[in-house]
Amino acid sequence: MPAFKFRLNFLIALRRQREEEAAVKLARRLASIADLEESIQAMFDHLSQMAEEVKAHGQTGRLTGPLLRLYGDFQLKVRQDLKKAEELLILSRREEAKERVALTRAVMARQVIEKAKERQRLAFEAEAQAEEQKNLEEMASMARVRRLKETGVSESDDRS
């Protein structure tokens, strides 16, 4: 009997490839989000460090108008960068959610085909088993008839 062959193996391979692509895309997005979060945390640290420096200069009396303006301008720039980074983080999180959905769909699409393959394989095996059982029964029947012929007993006599 021939071995089981599934005609849609190419489709499983294609869907597995799409699933892997979606997983890579999500992994890149997660790495990007981690970098953004790190960058945002660094900006917050930088702002607090600048505040400490201004405070230290103020306590020692070395805080002048131009220096205060310089700190203020730089603080304003850092805050603008921080706002942009937070907006980008929000957008990246939205994209992450979309990519998670895409990955889930890709996994489900592959699993659907794999389940169909498994059902076909089980049906093929059941059919093969039924064919084998039929052949065994035929052989047993033929052996019984041969045995009866050898002993000289007719089938109708054997049934009684």
PDB file of all heavy atoms in Angstrom, residues 1 5-6 27 36 42 46 50 61 66 68 71 83 90-91 96 117 119 124-125 127 129 131 137 154:
ATOM      1  N   MET A   1       0.850  -1.182   0.000  1.00  0.00           N
ATOM      2  CA  MET A   1       0.000   0.000   0.000  1.00  0.00           C
ATOM      3  C   MET A   1       0.891   1.239   0.000  1.00  0.00           C
ATOM      4  O   MET A   1       1.901   1.283   0.688  1.00  0.00           O
ATOM      5  CB  MET A   1      -0.908  -0.034   1.227  1.00  0.00           C
ATOM      6  CG  MET A   1      -1.779   1.182   1.336  1.00  0.00           C
ATOM      7  SD  MET A   1      -3.142   0.942   2.433  1.00  0.00           S
ATOM      8  CE  MET A   1      -4.479   1.064   1.282  1.00  0.00           C
ATOM      9  N   LYS A   5       0.412  10.656   1.437  1.00  0.00           N
ATOM     10  CA  LYS A   5       0.951  11.895   0.878  1.00  0.00           C
ATOM     11  C   LYS A   5      -0.108  12.984   1.020  1.00  0.00           C
ATOM     12  O   LYS A   5      -1.248  12.785   0.663  1.00  0.00           O
ATOM     13  CB  LYS A   5       1.309  11.721  -0.593  1.00  0.00           C
ATOM     14  CG  LYS A   5       2.551  10.909  -0.819  1.00  0.00           C
ATOM     15  CD  LYS A   5       2.954  10.940  -2.269  1.00  0.00           C
ATOM     16  CE  LYS A   5       4.231  10.168  -2.453  1.00  0.00           C
ATOM     17  NZ  LYS A   5       4.674  10.178  -3.841  1.00  0.00           N
ATOM     18  N   PHE A   6       0.339  14.125   1.536  1.00  0.00           N
ATOM     19  CA  PHE A   6      -0.555  15.274   1.690  1.00  0.00           C
ATOM     20  C   PHE A   6      -0.216  16.263   0.590  1.00  0.00           C
ATOM     21  O   PHE A   6       0.922  16.701   0.457  1.00  0.00           O
ATOM     22  CB  PHE A   6      -0.361  15.900   3.082  1.00  0.00           C
ATOM     23  CG  PHE A   6      -1.314  17.004   3.389  1.00  0.00           C
ATOM     24  CD1 PHE A   6      -2.674  16.773   3.490  1.00  0.00           C
ATOM     25  CD2 PHE A   6      -0.850  18.288   3.606  1.00  0.00           C
ATOM     26  CE1 PHE A   6      -3.560  17.797   3.779  1.00  0.00           C
ATOM     27  CE2 PHE A   6      -1.726  19.321   3.911  1.00  0.00           C
ATOM     28  CZ  PHE A   6      -3.085  19.075   3.993  1.00  0.00           C
ATOM     29  N   ALA A  27       9.375  40.578  16.970  1.00  0.00           N
ATOM     30  CA  ALA A  27      10.599  40.636  17.789  1.00  0.00           C
ATOM     31  C   ALA A  27      11.342  41.954  17.564  1.00  0.00           C
ATOM     32  O   ALA A  27      11.833  42.565  18.520  1.00  0.00           O
ATOM     33  CB  ALA A  27      11.499  39.453  17.459  1.00  0.00           C
ATOM     34  N   LEU A  36      13.332  52.359  22.932  1.00  0.00           N
ATOM     35  CA  LEU A  36      12.633  53.622  23.206  1.00  0.00           C
ATOM     36  C   LEU A  36      12.440  53.831  24.703  1.00  0.00           C
ATOM     37  O   LEU A  36      12.643  54.936  25.216  1.00  0.00           O
ATOM     38  CB  LEU A  36      11.270  53.630  22.517  1.00  0.00           C
ATOM     39  CG  LEU A  36      11.234  54.137  21.090  1.00  0.00           C
ATOM     40  CD1 LEU A  36       9.861  53.916  20.478  1.00  0.00           C
ATOM     41  CD2 LEU A  36      11.599  55.605  21.040  1.00  0.00           C
ATOM     42  N   ALA A  42      16.569  57.333  30.063  1.00  0.00           N
ATOM     43  CA  ALA A  42      17.816  58.113  30.052  1.00  0.00           C
ATOM     44  C   ALA A  42      17.512  59.609  30.039  1.00  0.00           C
ATOM     45  O   ALA A  42      18.198  60.396  30.708  1.00  0.00           O
ATOM     46  CB  ALA A  42      18.667  57.723  28.849  1.00  0.00           C
ATOM     47  N   HIS A  46      18.543  62.283  32.775  1.00  0.00           N
ATOM     48  CA  HIS A  46      19.284  63.476  32.392  1.00  0.00           C
ATOM     49  C   HIS A  46      18.607  64.737  32.951  1.00  0.00           C
ATOM     50  O   HIS A  46      19.287  65.654  33.445  1.00  0.00           O
ATOM     51  CB  HIS A  46      19.401  63.548  30.867  1.00  0.00           C
ATOM     52  CG  HIS A  46      20.476  64.448  30.380  1.00  0.00           C
ATOM     53  ND1 HIS A  46      21.806  64.152  30.510  1.00  0.00           N
ATOM     54  CD2 HIS A  46      20.411  65.668  29.781  1.00  0.00           C
ATOM     55  CE1 HIS A  46      22.524  65.134  30.013  1.00  0.00           C
ATOM     56  NE2 HIS A  46      21.700  66.069  29.557  1.00  0.00           N
ATOM     57  N   MET A  50      20.252  67.322  35.582  1.00  0.00           N
ATOM     58  CA  MET A  50      20.357  68.764  35.336  1.00  0.00           C
ATOM     59  C   MET A  50      19.731  69.557  36.475  1.00  0.00           C
ATOM     60  O   MET A  50      20.266  70.596  36.881  1.00  0.00           O
ATOM     61  CB  MET A  50      19.681  69.140  34.007  1.00  0.00           C
ATOM     62  CG  MET A  50      20.531  68.846  32.806  1.00  0.00           C
ATOM     63  SD  MET A  50      19.955  69.629  31.285  1.00  0.00           S
ATOM     64  CE  MET A  50      18.250  69.215  31.213  1.00  0.00           C
ATOM     65  N   GLY A  61      26.153  79.591  44.777  1.00  0.00           N
ATOM     66  CA  GLY A  61      26.123  80.988  44.345  1.00  0.00           C
ATOM     67  C   GLY A  61      26.718  81.198  42.972  1.00  0.00           C
ATOM     68  O   GLY A  61      26.959  82.339  42.580  1.00  0.00           O
ATOM     69  N   PRO A  66      22.837  83.887  32.448  1.00  0.00           N
ATOM     70  CA  PRO A  66      23.108  83.163  31.206  1.00  0.00           C
ATOM     71  C   PRO A  66      23.203  81.642  31.420  1.00  0.00           C
ATOM     72  O   PRO A  66      22.750  80.862  30.585  1.00  0.00           O
ATOM     73  CB  PRO A  66      24.457  83.715  30.727  1.00  0.00           C
ATOM     74  CG  PRO A  66      24.570  85.047  31.369  1.00  0.00           C
ATOM     75  CD  PRO A  66      23.822  84.948  32.670  1.00  0.00           C
ATOM     76  N   LEU A  68      21.650  79.953  33.780  1.00  0.00           N
ATOM     77  CA  LEU A  68      20.284  79.492  34.027  1.00  0.00           C
ATOM     78  C   LEU A  68      19.514  79.392  32.710  1.00  0.00           C
ATOM     79  O   LEU A  68      18.775  78.438  32.482  1.00  0.00           O
ATOM     80  CB  LEU A  68      19.574  80.462  34.988  1.00  0.00           C
ATOM     81  CG  LEU A  68      18.195  80.036  35.458  1.00  0.00           C
ATOM     82  CD1 LEU A  68      18.258  78.681  36.156  1.00  0.00           C
ATOM     83  CD2 LEU A  68      17.607  81.080  36.390  1.00  0.00           C
ATOM     84  N   TYR A  71      20.709  76.276  30.863  1.00  0.00           N
ATOM     85  CA  TYR A  71      20.066  75.080  31.433  1.00  0.00           C
ATOM     86  C   TYR A  71      18.598  75.002  31.001  1.00  0.00           C
ATOM     87  O   TYR A  71      18.095  73.943  30.653  1.00  0.00           O
ATOM     88  CB  TYR A  71      20.149  75.088  32.965  1.00  0.00           C
ATOM     89  CG  TYR A  71      21.408  74.464  33.509  1.00  0.00           C
ATOM     90  CD1 TYR A  71      22.318  75.212  34.254  1.00  0.00           C
ATOM     91  CD2 TYR A  71      21.682  73.117  33.308  1.00  0.00           C
ATOM     92  CE1 TYR A  71      23.464  74.648  34.768  1.00  0.00           C
ATOM     93  CE2 TYR A  71      22.829  72.546  33.818  1.00  0.00           C
ATOM     94  CZ  TYR A  71      23.715  73.304  34.544  1.00  0.00           C
ATOM     95  OH  TYR A  71      24.840  72.727  35.057  1.00  0.00           O
ATOM     96  N   LYS A  83       8.952  64.198  24.717  1.00  0.00           N
ATOM     97  CA  LYS A  83       7.567  64.140  24.238  1.00  0.00           C
ATOM     98  C   LYS A  83       7.485  63.366  22.925  1.00  0.00           C
ATOM     99  O   LYS A  83       6.609  62.521  22.736  1.00  0.00           O
ATOM    100  CB  LYS A  83       7.017  65.556  24.053  1.00  0.00           C
ATOM    101  CG  LYS A  83       5.575  65.604  23.624  1.00  0.00           C
ATOM    102  CD  LYS A  83       5.082  67.029  23.480  1.00  0.00           C
ATOM    103  CE  LYS A  83       3.641  67.038  22.999  1.00  0.00           C
ATOM    104  NZ  LYS A  83       3.154  68.391  22.758  1.00  0.00           N
ATOM    105  N   ILE A  90       4.053  55.279  21.998  1.00  0.00           N
ATOM    106  CA  ILE A  90       2.619  54.969  21.911  1.00  0.00           C
ATOM    107  C   ILE A  90       2.292  54.358  20.546  1.00  0.00           C
ATOM    108  O   ILE A  90       1.587  53.350  20.454  1.00  0.00           O
ATOM    109  CB  ILE A  90       1.773  56.241  22.179  1.00  0.00           C
ATOM    110  CG1 ILE A  90       1.876  56.639  23.656  1.00  0.00           C
ATOM    111  CG2 ILE A  90       0.316  56.019  21.790  1.00  0.00           C
ATOM    112  CD1 ILE A  90       1.311  58.012  23.974  1.00  0.00           C
ATOM    113  N   LEU A  91       2.821  54.963  19.499  1.00  0.00           N
ATOM    114  CA  LEU A  91       2.600  54.420  18.151  1.00  0.00           C
ATOM    115  C   LEU A  91       3.207  53.025  18.010  1.00  0.00           C
ATOM    116  O   LEU A  91       2.606  52.131  17.403  1.00  0.00           O
ATOM    117  CB  LEU A  91       3.193  55.354  17.099  1.00  0.00           C
ATOM    118  CG  LEU A  91       2.503  56.705  16.929  1.00  0.00           C
ATOM    119  CD1 LEU A  91       3.287  57.579  15.958  1.00  0.00           C
ATOM    120  CD2 LEU A  91       1.080  56.524  16.450  1.00  0.00           C
ATOM    121  N   GLU A  96       2.717  47.162  17.761  1.00  0.00           N
ATOM    122  CA  GLU A  96       3.003  45.876  18.413  1.00  0.00           C
ATOM    123  C   GLU A  96       1.723  45.057  18.546  1.00  0.00           C
ATOM    124  O   GLU A  96       1.715  43.851  18.269  1.00  0.00           O
ATOM    125  CB  GLU A  96       3.619  46.100  19.801  1.00  0.00           C
ATOM    126  CG  GLU A  96       3.810  44.819  20.585  1.00  0.00           C
ATOM    127  CD  GLU A  96       3.984  45.044  22.081  1.00  0.00           C
ATOM    128  OE1 GLU A  96       3.967  46.201  22.542  1.00  0.00           O
ATOM    129  OE2 GLU A  96       4.117  44.021  22.787  1.00  0.00           O
ATOM    130  N   LYS A 117      -4.396  18.136   7.546  1.00  0.00           N
ATOM    131  CA  LYS A 117      -3.439  17.088   7.185  1.00  0.00           C
ATOM    132  C   LYS A 117      -3.570  15.909   8.142  1.00  0.00           C
ATOM    133  O   LYS A 117      -3.583  14.750   7.716  1.00  0.00           O
ATOM    134  CB  LYS A 117      -2.012  17.637   7.231  1.00  0.00           C
ATOM    135  CG  LYS A 117      -0.949  16.608   6.941  1.00  0.00           C
ATOM    136  CD  LYS A 117       0.446  17.204   7.051  1.00  0.00           C
ATOM    137  CE  LYS A 117       1.515  16.163   6.787  1.00  0.00           C
ATOM    138  NZ  LYS A 117       2.864  16.734   6.863  1.00  0.00           N
ATOM    139  N   ARG A 119      -6.191  15.034   9.927  1.00  0.00           N
ATOM    140  CA  ARG A 119      -7.459  14.337   9.665  1.00  0.00           C
ATOM    141  C   ARG A 119      -7.346  13.438   8.433  1.00  0.00           C
ATOM    142  O   ARG A 119      -7.818  12.294   8.451  1.00  0.00           O
ATOM    143  CB  ARG A 119      -8.600  15.342   9.483  1.00  0.00           C
ATOM    144  CG  ARG A 119      -9.132  15.915  10.783  1.00  0.00           C
ATOM    145  CD  ARG A 119     -10.444  16.655  10.557  1.00  0.00           C
ATOM    146  NE  ARG A 119     -10.323  17.775   9.632  1.00  0.00           N
ATOM    147  CZ  ARG A 119     -10.028  19.011   9.975  1.00  0.00           C
ATOM    148  NH1 ARG A 119      -9.818  19.309  11.241  1.00  0.00           N
ATOM    149  NH2 ARG A 119      -9.958  19.971   9.070  1.00  0.00           N
ATOM    150  N   PHE A 124      -6.708   8.114   6.065  1.00  0.00           N
ATOM    151  CA  PHE A 124      -5.907   7.220   5.236  1.00  0.00           C
ATOM    152  C   PHE A 124      -5.519   5.974   6.025  1.00  0.00           C
ATOM    153  O   PHE A 124      -5.615   4.847   5.513  1.00  0.00           O
ATOM    154  CB  PHE A 124      -4.647   7.956   4.749  1.00  0.00           C
ATOM    155  CG  PHE A 124      -3.705   7.101   3.961  1.00  0.00           C
ATOM    156  CD1 PHE A 124      -3.932   6.866   2.615  1.00  0.00           C
ATOM    157  CD2 PHE A 124      -2.593   6.526   4.559  1.00  0.00           C
ATOM    158  CE1 PHE A 124      -3.067   6.078   1.872  1.00  0.00           C
ATOM    159  CE2 PHE A 124      -1.734   5.728   3.820  1.00  0.00           C
ATOM    160  CZ  PHE A 124      -1.964   5.516   2.486  1.00  0.00           C
ATOM    161  N   GLU A 125      -5.085   6.152   7.259  1.00  0.00           N
ATOM    162  CA  GLU A 125      -4.692   5.018   8.100  1.00  0.00           C
ATOM    163  C   GLU A 125      -5.887   4.128   8.410  1.00  0.00           C
ATOM    164  O   GLU A 125      -5.766   2.901   8.415  1.00  0.00           O
ATOM    165  CB  GLU A 125      -4.026   5.502   9.385  1.00  0.00           C
ATOM    166  CG  GLU A 125      -2.635   6.070   9.157  1.00  0.00           C
ATOM    167  CD  GLU A 125      -2.025   6.671  10.408  1.00  0.00           C
ATOM    168  OE1 GLU A 125      -2.703   6.707  11.470  1.00  0.00           O
ATOM    169  OE2 GLU A 125      -0.877   7.124  10.330  1.00  0.00           O
ATOM    170  N   GLU A 127      -8.543   3.757   6.537  1.00  0.00           N
ATOM    171  CA  GLU A 127      -8.854   3.063   5.292  1.00  0.00           C
ATOM    172  C   GLU A 127      -7.868   1.914   5.059  1.00  0.00           C
ATOM    173  O   GLU A 127      -8.265   0.812   4.667  1.00  0.00           O
ATOM    174  CB  GLU A 127      -8.801   4.049   4.129  1.00  0.00           C
ATOM    175  CG  GLU A 127      -9.207   3.474   2.799  1.00  0.00           C
ATOM    176  CD  GLU A 127      -9.142   4.521   1.707  1.00  0.00           C
ATOM    177  OE1 GLU A 127      -9.568   5.658   1.940  1.00  0.00           O
ATOM    178  OE2 GLU A 127      -8.650   4.163   0.621  1.00  0.00           O
ATOM    179  N   GLN A 129      -6.185   0.342   7.344  1.00  0.00           N
ATOM    180  CA  GLN A 129      -6.453  -0.687   8.353  1.00  0.00           C
ATOM    181  C   GLN A 129      -7.685  -1.511   7.968  1.00  0.00           C
ATOM    182  O   GLN A 129      -7.694  -2.733   8.123  1.00  0.00           O
ATOM    183  CB  GLN A 129      -6.656  -0.034   9.717  1.00  0.00           C
ATOM    184  CG  GLN A 129      -6.707  -1.009  10.857  1.00  0.00           C
ATOM    185  CD  GLN A 129      -6.804  -0.298  12.201  1.00  0.00           C
ATOM    186  OE1 GLN A 129      -7.121   0.891  12.265  1.00  0.00           O
ATOM    187  NE2 GLN A 129      -6.523  -1.021  13.257  1.00  0.00           N
ATOM    188  N   GLU A 131      -8.755  -2.028   4.929  1.00  0.00           N
ATOM    189  CA  GLU A 131      -8.340  -2.860   3.791  1.00  0.00           C
ATOM    190  C   GLU A 131      -7.539  -4.066   4.274  1.00  0.00           C
ATOM    191  O   GLU A 131      -7.746  -5.191   3.814  1.00  0.00           O
ATOM    192  CB  GLU A 131      -7.507  -2.015   2.821  1.00  0.00           C
ATOM    193  CG  GLU A 131      -7.103  -2.709   1.560  1.00  0.00           C
ATOM    194  CD  GLU A 131      -8.259  -2.973   0.624  1.00  0.00           C
ATOM    195  OE1 GLU A 131      -9.246  -2.212   0.650  1.00  0.00           O
ATOM    196  OE2 GLU A 131      -8.178  -3.963  -0.120  1.00  0.00           O
ATOM    197  N   GLU A 137      -9.426 -11.166   6.699  1.00  0.00           N
ATOM    198  CA  GLU A 137     -10.651 -11.960   6.766  1.00  0.00           C
ATOM    199  C   GLU A 137     -10.799 -12.859   5.552  1.00  0.00           C
ATOM    200  O   GLU A 137     -11.207 -14.018   5.662  1.00  0.00           O
ATOM    201  CB  GLU A 137     -11.868 -11.039   6.908  1.00  0.00           C
ATOM    202  CG  GLU A 137     -11.979 -10.404   8.274  1.00  0.00           C
ATOM    203  CD  GLU A 137     -13.082  -9.360   8.372  1.00  0.00           C
ATOM    204  OE1 GLU A 137     -13.777  -9.113   7.357  1.00  0.00           O
ATOM    205  OE2 GLU A 137     -13.233  -8.794   9.461  1.00  0.00           O
ATOM    206  N   SER A 154     -18.099 -30.759   4.511  1.00  0.00           N
ATOM    207  CA  SER A 154     -18.689 -29.667   3.744  1.00  0.00           C
ATOM    208  C   SER A 154     -18.939 -28.481   4.666  1.00  0.00           C
ATOM    209  O   SER A 154     -19.038 -28.637   5.881  1.00  0.00           O
ATOM    210  CB  SER A 154     -19.995 -30.122   3.074  1.00  0.00           C
ATOM    211  OG  SER A 154     -20.979 -30.302   4.049  1.00  0.00           O
TER     212      SER A 154
END
